[in-house]
Amino acid sequence: MDIRLLDRNDAPAYQALRLQALRESPDAFSASHEDEATRSIDEVAARIVPAADGSMCMFGIFESGALTGFVALVHPQRKKLRHGAELAGMYVAPALRRRGLGAVLLHAVIAHARSIDGVRQLGLGVNATNEAAKALYRSAGFVRWGVQPRALQIGNVFHDEEHLLLRLDVTG
Ligand SMILES: CC(C)(COP(=O)(O)OP(=O)(O)OC[C@H]1O[C@@H](n2cnc3c(N)ncnc32)[C@H](O)[C@@H]1OP(=O)(O)O)[C@@H](O)C(=O)NCCC(=O)NCCS
């Protein structure tokens, strides 16, 4: 198993896995398959290459050389928001779940957030019914601070989103 930041050469593999994620777990992402299916490889590359200003990077996890999961870290650059970062778009391919890959991705993002000067907290949003992801985040110390009712509409169904936060500047 390898974990590293994705770069432009990973764009085809990322796009294939991302579209699989949007098809297989539509409730887990705010983007839809329809939103992303027509993106060119150049557009995808621009979205995964670490941003020059540090505002975004994407970790990928590989098994036997194949991309099997990913997660993004978003770091707003505006002065009043720079103390926070957001985790987004976490996914592990179904065949490789419950083997610790999600936890490896999560801990890589947390370590990266800790390494950014001034970042004191890491936030994320998760579908309120996503028990697997909530258990994973809880195991890393994230706590729920609120719920946005009807954050997503998928077809005729509304989904609430829980907002979780991990404070990086407190221990224990
Ligand atoms: C959520 C997800 C990333 C977890 O990935 P994973 O590689 O299976 O997670 P791990 O094997 O590292 O699990 C770590 C811990 O998370 C919790 N967990 C993971 N899957 C779980 C499940 N299905 N049910 C209950 N707890 C679960 C457990 O505490 C687990 O530890 P354990 O296996 O020792 O009990 C994966 O299920 C996934 O990609 N789901 C679809 C997309 C998604 O929901 N993304 C999150 C969007 S916010």
Side-chain angles (χ1 to χ4, degrees):
M1 182 267 288
D2 277 325
I3 180 164
R4 62 169 172 79
L5 287 176
L6 297 186
D7 64 31
R8 103 176 0 262
N9 298 323
D10 298 306
Y14 171 80
Q15 177 68 345
L17 193 61
R18 173 78 174 165
L19 292 179
Q20 174 186 319
L22 297 176
R23 264 194 315 270
E24 178 256 321
S25 300
D27 300 357
F29 301 96
S30 56
S32 65
H33 187 275
E34 194 183 9
D35 290 332
E36 301 203 355
T38 57
R39 286 211 170 112
S40 70
I41 289 300
D42 280 348
E43 286 173 302
V44 173
R47 295 173 73 88
I48 63 171
V49 169
D53 65 358
S55 59
M56 202 287 307
C57 63
M58 181 81 69
F59 286 90
I61 195 160
F62 296 79
E63 279 289 359
S64 308
L67 182 67
T68 53
F70 49 75
V71 64
L73 180 68
V74 179
H75 181 214
Q77 297 298 294
R78 284 187 290 171
K79 196 170 178 7
K80 294 182 201 170
L81 299 177
R82 284 185 57 85
H83 63 292
E86 284 281 317
L87 178 155
M90 160 90 90
Y91 183 71
V92 171
L96 292 157
R97 287 185 191 157
R98 294 313 287 266
R99 297 190 194 180
L101 300 186
V104 170
L105 281 168
L106 179 58
H107 287 286
V109 163
I110 294 170
H112 191 71
R114 280 187 194 284
S115 77
I116 304 172
D117 196 29
V119 171
R120 294 167 186 273
Q121 56 196 35
L122 183 59
L124 61 86
V126 57
N127 189 311
T129 62
N130 190 344
E131 298 302 335
K134 289 196 297 180
L136 171 60
Y137 300 137
R138 252 196 321 270
S139 72
F142 281 81
V143 293
R144 185 176 75 168
W145 61 265
V147 182
Q148 181 181 352
R150 311 210 314 170
L152 294 185
Q153 181 182 358
I154 305 175
N156 292 326
V157 180
F158 292 102
H159 298 257
D160 296 351
E161 182 171 77
E162 293 192 8
H163 296 284
L164 310 186
L165 192 72
L166 178 68
R167 289 277 303 267
L168 303 175
D169 55 354
V170 290
T171 49

